[in-house]
């Protein structure tokens, strides 16, 4: 039972797909549970039920942040991967995926489209969301926790599997 967390653009889904492929555990994307193809969100109760259904399985990898459910996922998991990358790395990651179909999102982001609110969230991640994540990781220190500061560290980990 694995969760993969980190700032948007850090490559959570890419890492999770590679991990799932290497260890044969099914992968679930929180974005696919939360978003509709028309860029609307599902009702909170539906999102939580979808997540609850996955958490009841024997094995899973769940990628995504969603601070409202992170503690629930931390309680249920045994392993955490935190992709703790720089702002520039994450912004580059977001830019590089525009215009590409993704298995972790129900729509394709247009190449020339920039979601200002989303970019601001990314810019504030280190000072706001990351602090909460680090506190929770301390609280759940009994879990197997991997913190990668660079993409190369995650790649090296995957290559060793």
């Amino acid at each position: 039972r694995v969760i993969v967390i980190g700032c948007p653009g850090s490559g959570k889904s890419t890492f999770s797909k590679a991990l799932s492929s290497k260890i044969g555990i099914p992968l679930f994307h929180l974005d696919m549970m939360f978003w509709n193809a028309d860029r609307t969100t599902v009702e909170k109760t539906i999102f939580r039920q979808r997540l609850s259904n996955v958490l009841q399985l024997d094995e899973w990898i769940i990628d995504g942040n969603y601070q409202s459910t992170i503690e629930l996922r931390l309680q249920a998991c045994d392993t955490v991967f935190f992709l703790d990358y720089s702002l520039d790395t994450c912004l580059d990651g977001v830019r590089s995926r525009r215009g590409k179909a993704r298995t972790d999102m129900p729509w394709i982001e247009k190449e020339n489209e920039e979601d200002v609110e989303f970019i601001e969230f990314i810019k504030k991640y280190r000072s706001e969301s990351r602090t909460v994540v680090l506190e929770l990781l301390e609280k759940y220190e009994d879990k197997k926790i991997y913190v990668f500061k660079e993409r190369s560290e995650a790649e090296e980990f995957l290559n060793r599997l």
Side-chain angles (χ1 to χ4, degrees):
R1 294 179 167 190
V2 177
I3 65 171
V4 180
I5 55 179
C7 182
S10 61
K12 294 178 299 295
S13 296
T14 301
F15 177 83
S16 297
K17 283 181 230 171
L19 182 64
S20 175
S21 175
K22 293 240 182 200
I23 64 176
I25 293 177
L27 171 59
F28 300 90
H29 305 286
L30 288 178
D31 283 336
M32 293 298 285
M33 294 180 210
F34 186 76
W35 291 101
N36 295 309
D38 65 358
R39 296 183 185 219
T40 59
T41 60
V42 300
E43 290 180 31
K44 192 174 194 173
T45 55
I46 293 171
F47 173 60
R48 283 193 163 279
Q49 185 58 54
R50 288 175 177 174
L51 176 58
S52 178
N53 291 343
V54 172
L55 293 176
Q56 292 175 31
L57 300 174
D58 291 334
E59 294 182 321
W60 40 258
I61 298 170
I62 300 173
D63 85 332
N65 286 314
Y66 294 86
Q67 201 160 321
S68 65
T69 64
I70 193 168
E71 191 156 13
L72 182 65
R73 287 176 281 128
L74 277 166
Q75 290 167 356
C77 78
D78 52 56
T79 305
V80 178
F81 290 93
F82 178 32
L83 307 184
D84 190 20
Y85 301 155
S86 71
L87 171 62
D88 287 340
T89 297
C90 296
L91 289 173
D92 288 345
V94 168
R95 288 184 198 107
S96 72
R97 67 188 187 199
R98 287 193 192 130
K100 297 177 182 168
R102 297 165 46 196
T103 59
D104 61 313
M105 287 297 284
W107 69 76
I108 297 175
E109 296 174 46
K110 297 181 181 109
E111 286 190 53
N112 61 351
E113 183 177 54
E114 184 159 305
D115 182 338
V116 176
E117 187 177 318
F118 182 59
I119 297 300
E120 282 306 307
F121 175 81
I122 294 169
K123 288 179 177 178
K124 293 178 182 175
Y125 182 87
R126 287 192 76 75
S127 62
E128 295 178 4
S129 301
R130 179 178 181 267
T131 306
V132 174
V133 169
L134 292 173
E135 288 172 3
L136 286 168
L137 292 180
E138 275 187 42
K139 181 177 178 181
Y140 292 94
E141 64 184 0
D142 60 316
K143 309 294 179 176
K144 182 103 175 128
I145 299 173
Y146 297 88
V147 178
F148 300 132
K149 298 287 190 181
E150 303 282 336
R151 289 195 194 282
S152 59
E153 294 173 333
E155 291 166 9
E156 287 170 21
F157 177 88
L158 290 169
N159 288 336
R160 286 193 308 267
L161 292 178

